[in-house]
Amino acid sequence: MVSTIFISVGVLFNLFGCIGLIRLPDVYNRLQSATKCVTLGTCSILVGVAFHFGLIDAGVKALIAIPLLFFSATVAAHALVRGAYHAGIKMGDKSVKDDYKDAVK
Amino acid sequence: MRYLALFILSFVFWMLLTFDLSVANLVAGGAAALVTSLLFTKYFFHKVVKFIQPVRYFWFLVYLVIFTWECIKANFDVAYRVLHPAMPIKPGIVKVKLELKSDFARAMLANSITMTPGTISVDIIDDVLYVHWIYVSSEDPEIYSRKIAGKFEKYIKKIFE
């Protein structure tokens, strides 16, 4: 029962992340939704799997996957944002502030 | 000492990941951990003494609870912005002054910032962290530095420094 709730919440957040990926205006904002919603959604699914199996091998592996996913998602987001900026991709029209521009030059 | 610490860490990680106590697996894990520790120790902590100070683990647990809470808040925040018909976003890149000195603590802070409401860390140049923020709510560097990094900085300082 608990596992069903966790997995449902996870799937829901993954869906929100994907909607954000389509709706938001530029690459930077899209990465926001792609990293946050999708990482927590997937972590929630993994916690659900751990509850379902208990502390046997499948459950423990699911829990171990959480820090791996966490670190790879954050590092990938950082690398993509930085790479996109250095490749000269402009920020969307709604942007209000850009302190990084002066630092790069 | 540093080699040994990383060896033990990677070996425990291998054992948890494979979850199998047969001799063949122990040997394979030992070999993998040995290669890992030989290759990557130069990127590891400089003072491994920190591993046997219990107070750091206590602060790590406190940090974990706060972090999880922030993470959940972040998700509802982004979900709200994504689903709202008018999309209330006001993105921008802001500067945050760093008080942490060691590389590992900084990396940890940057990771935490990436996972919290509407922010992704872009780059660190000298002592300044550049953060992409989905909703720039204030113009004052003091206020937004505290808003973005303040919550985690003090705990990470207690854990790693």
Side-chain angles (χ1 to χ4, degrees):
Chain A
M1 185 61 204
V2 183
S3 58
T4 317
I5 293 171
F6 269 109
I7 292 174
S8 314
V9 169
V11 171
L12 203 64
F13 271 115
N14 274 352
L15 179 68
F16 290 159
C18 295
I19 293 172
L21 202 62
I22 295 165
R23 282 201 72 198
L24 289 167
D26 61 2
V27 61
Y28 307 99
N29 292 308
R30 284 176 173 171
L31 273 170
Q32 297 263 11
S33 89
T35 49
K36 277 176 251 299
C37 286
V38 173
T39 310
L40 195 92
T42 313
C43 286
S44 180
I45 292 173
L46 288 169
V47 171
V49 170
F51 268 110
H52 181 77
F53 286 102
L55 287 176
I56 56 163
D57 58 351
V60 172
K61 277 174 196 172
L63 290 178
I64 290 289
I66 291 175
L68 284 179
L69 185 70
F70 167 78
F71 281 109
S72 55
T74 49
V75 171
H78 155 71
L80 284 170
V81 167
R82 192 171 178 278
Y85 200 99
H86 282 267
I89 295 171
K90 296 226 165 26
M91 293 172 70
D93 301 332
K94 284 187 172 180
S95 307
V96 291
K97 204 168 164 56
D98 189 359
D99 285 343
Y100 192 44
K101 193 165 59 187
D102 309 325
V104 176
K105 279 175 186 168
Chain B
M1 262 313 270
R2 288 172 69 206
Y3 284 95
L4 188 68
L6 186 56
F7 179 81
I8 293 171
L9 203 66
S10 16
F11 189 67
V12 168
F13 194 76
W14 171 279
M15 288 321 291
L16 283 172
L17 203 57
T18 52
F19 223 74
D20 175 15
L21 274 176
S22 68
V23 177
N25 190 45
L26 285 170
V27 172
L34 192 69
V35 172
T36 313
S37 56
L38 287 177
L39 285 176
F40 295 110
T41 298
K42 60 182 170 189
Y43 304 114
F44 200 52
F45 292 106
H46 289 284
K47 294 196 185 100
V48 281
V49 173
K50 287 174 182 173
F51 267 106
I52 45 171
Q53 293 170 336
V55 70
R56 291 183 192 277
Y57 290 96
F58 169 74
W59 284 114
F60 181 70
L61 287 179
V62 173
Y63 168 77
L64 215 59
V65 171
I66 290 172
F67 177 75
T68 313
W69 175 239
E70 287 297 325
C71 213
I72 292 167
K73 257 171 47 191
N75 275 274
F76 279 101
D77 185 71
V78 173
Y80 162 74
R81 292 187 200 292
V82 164
L83 295 178
H84 196 286
M87 269 204 297
I89 58 169
K90 206 164 95 180
I93 296 181
V94 297
K95 291 195 238 191
V96 178
K97 272 251 179 301
L98 285 174
E99 280 167 32
L100 301 164
K101 293 284 169 264
S102 73
D103 284 349
F104 202 89
R106 282 179 172 184
M108 209 53 203
L109 181 70
N111 277 344
S112 310
I113 285 173
T114 300
M115 289 310 291
T116 48
T119 48
I120 289 185
S121 33
V122 180
D123 203 356
I124 294 181
I125 297 172
D126 298 329
D127 274 349
V128 184
L129 177 65
Y130 292 87
V131 175
H132 180 266
W133 200 0
I134 202 167
Y135 194 85
V136 181
S137 57
S138 114
E139 289 291 311
D140 184 7
E142 282 287 313
I143 294 173
Y144 62 65
S145 290
R146 205 168 56 232
K147 225 172 184 172
I148 293 173
K151 281 174 295 222
F152 301 121
E153 214 160 24
K154 54 178 188 267
Y155 295 108
I156 290 177
K157 202 167 196 157
K158 281 182 177 126
I159 298 167
F160 292 113
E161 292 196 342

